[in-house]
Amino acid sequence: MQLFKWPGQLVLFNFLMFMSWRSCREYSSRFQRDPQSVISTNDDRRNPDFYFPADPEADLAESSPEEIPLQRQKYRPVIATTPRPAAAPAFSYNPKDKNGPPNWNRIDARCGGRYQSPILLNTSSALVVNRKRPLRLTGITNLPESIRLQNDGHSAKFTYNWRNVERPVLSGGPLKTKYIFEQFHFHWGSNSSVGSEHVLDQQRYPLEIHLVFYNGLYGSFQEASGQVDGIAVVGLFYEIYKHSVNEQLNTWTFFLYNVIQPNSEYTISFVDTFPLYEVIGDIEWPYFSYEGSLTTPPCLETVTWIVATKPLLVTEKEMNQFRRLRSATGPMVDNYRPLQKLNHRRVFLY
């Protein structure tokens, strides 16, 4: 079979083959010199409704935000992340503040419960308990390894570090199990006519200490705080020692100057630690008991209150050491919650 019928066809075929070979050679040469010059990057020819970059983050990172086409922004993938929990609003003791005591139920709804603390304690209306088990506090003379003193912006808090030392344990009285000591803190006023959270027979004291214990049936204070029988708090009033203004009756108040600023803390080393006995002495006093709550948000109604009727002593000099402490909004004074309604609760006098 004859492929070319006339000689000109062979010449034309050779010419076309030569031109094709020449074009391929030039393309190859250009590619070796500059590969990007022979690669088309015209994204306008792509249908934006169906274009999804293989690596959107890398693709978009090559351009500034102003240069990114709207179509690219539209289809940029959204990376799912776990939202951070919102920080709990800080509470305030100022009744005019938006986070003051009248609005604590907005910070935590449990602050609007029916069994809140503190309350007015009346000797005349309390139910007297004649047959009672003695209230015991063991380990009260044990020395901790160290003590962490904190100004948390609302109070001065002392937390004992026990390590291998046995913690103080509260039992007896209205308590059905043993409660383990956690920490103590204070509430005080701008002057010596106010300060305590509970009011005894219409009298408010300048200072009140709260010793916090948790039920030993639970593993920690955090676990116990959510249980109906989780917490016991011993409250004691302080009255002004009138025989001397400058006498130092409570040597542990010396350490308060280390935490004047809010959110500051200080570690009391072993050589300077003091037992719980040095703070409250013996516990052989009459006391009230009732079921109530924590007196700060979240106001958990899991507290058995034990409030002594016999006050301890404090001097004006020591009270001024408390009043030097500062909160985020100014001097830390009047850090007590207003009285709460009794709501038909029974208050016992032991």
Side-chain angles (χ1 to χ4, degrees):
M1 179 179 178
Q2 187 177 0
L3 185 61
F4 301 103
K5 295 183 179 181
W6 50 279
Q9 285 182 316
L10 179 59
V11 175
L12 179 61
F13 177 79
N14 289 334
F15 176 78
L16 293 175
M17 291 293 293
F18 173 78
M19 294 301 295
S20 176
W21 170 81
R22 183 179 178 182
S23 298
C24 291
R25 185 176 181 181
E26 289 179 356
Y27 185 93
S28 176
S29 177
R30 287 170 54 197
F31 183 84
Q32 291 177 357
R33 292 195 306 268
D34 185 11
Q36 295 298 326
S37 65
V38 296
I39 298 177
S40 174
T41 58
N42 186 5
D43 288 341
D44 294 335
R45 298 171 63 181
R46 299 170 178 170
N47 185 346
D49 293 334
F50 295 94
Y51 169 57
F52 293 90
D55 186 356
E57 296 292 329
D59 195 359
L60 294 174
E62 294 177 358
S63 303
S64 63
E66 294 77 15
E67 297 172 342
I68 298 174
L70 293 178
Q71 292 86 346
R72 297 272 186 101
Q73 291 180 335
K74 179 179 179 180
Y75 294 104
R76 184 169 185 173
V78 177
I79 300 174
T81 58
T82 303
R84 295 181 179 180
F91 67 90
S92 166
Y93 283 103
N94 185 350
K96 298 180 180 179
D97 192 88
K98 65 177 182 179
N99 290 330
N103 299 319
W104 281 4
N105 62 329
R106 298 180 182 178
I107 298 175
D108 195 301
R110 289 168 290 190
C111 293
R114 291 181 53 82
Y115 304 108
Q116 292 292 293
S117 299
I119 62 171
L120 171 64
L121 301 170
N122 283 320
T123 304
S124 59
S125 60
L127 300 175
V128 179
V129 179
N130 294 316
R131 300 179 62 183
K132 55 190 176 184
R133 296 180 301 162
L135 186 66
R136 294 188 177 92
L137 181 55
T138 61
I140 196 171
T141 58
N142 293 347
L143 276 175
E145 184 174 287
S146 62
I147 302 174
R148 183 174 64 166
L149 170 58
Q150 294 173 281
N151 173 347
D152 61 6
H154 304 292
S155 181
K157 182 169 68 174
F158 293 76
T159 304
Y160 283 38
N161 175 23
W162 297 100
R163 286 287 178 92
N164 299 322
V165 183
E166 184 178 349
R167 292 188 177 197
V169 174
L170 182 68
S171 61
L175 306 176
K176 297 179 180 179
T177 61
K178 295 181 178 180
Y179 285 72
I180 301 172
F181 175 65
E182 176 71 11
Q183 49 94 351
F184 65 83
H185 60 271
F186 296 88
H187 300 268
W188 62 90
S190 54
N191 60 72
S192 295
S193 64
V194 293
S196 65
E197 294 209 298
H198 290 89
V199 175
L200 175 58
D201 293 331
Q202 306 300 324
Q203 181 179 358
R204 195 182 286 274
Y205 290 86
L207 181 68
E208 183 176 342
I209 183 175
H210 290 165
L211 294 94
V212 182
F213 298 77
Y214 69 90
N215 194 326
L217 296 177
Y218 309 106
S220 65
F221 173 79
Q222 288 72 22
E223 181 184 352
S225 61
Q227 307 298 324
V228 67
D229 59 348
I231 303 173
V233 179
V234 177
L236 295 101
F237 302 113
Y238 284 80
E239 65 180 0
I240 297 298
Y241 181 63
K242 298 180 180 179
H243 298 288
S244 176
V245 175
N246 296 317
E247 189 172 346
Q248 197 80 28
L249 300 179
N250 304 284
T251 56
W252 43 266
T253 58
F254 277 126
F255 297 105
L256 293 175
Y257 80 92
N258 293 291
V259 292
I260 291 178
Q261 297 304 318
N263 301 314
S264 60
E265 64 178 58
Y266 175 77
T267 299
I268 303 172
S269 60
F270 177 76
V271 294
D272 294 321
T273 58
F274 45 88
L276 211 51
Y277 180 83
E278 193 171 316
V279 181
I280 63 172
D282 293 317
I283 62 169
E284 297 176 354
W285 20 250
Y287 60 90
F288 293 92
S289 182
Y290 74 98
E291 299 301 318
S293 73
L294 299 177
T295 61
T296 57
C299 310
L300 298 174
E301 295 179 338
T302 59
V303 180
T304 299
W305 277 95
I306 296 172
V307 183
T309 61
K310 182 181 178 180
L312 303 173
L313 295 175
V314 65
T315 65
E316 282 291 353
K317 176 183 178 180
E318 293 168 335
M319 286 304 309
N320 289 331
Q321 290 173 321
F322 279 101
R323 294 172 186 138
R324 289 193 188 100
L325 302 184
R326 300 188 65 82
S327 67
T329 57
M332 189 192 299
V333 292
D334 299 331
N335 58 342
Y336 58 91
R337 188 186 190 187
L339 293 177
Q340 304 296 300
K341 294 180 179 180
L342 188 59
N343 288 328
H344 306 292
R345 279 177 286 177
R346 295 186 297 176
V347 179
F348 299 94
L349 179 59
Y350 286 78

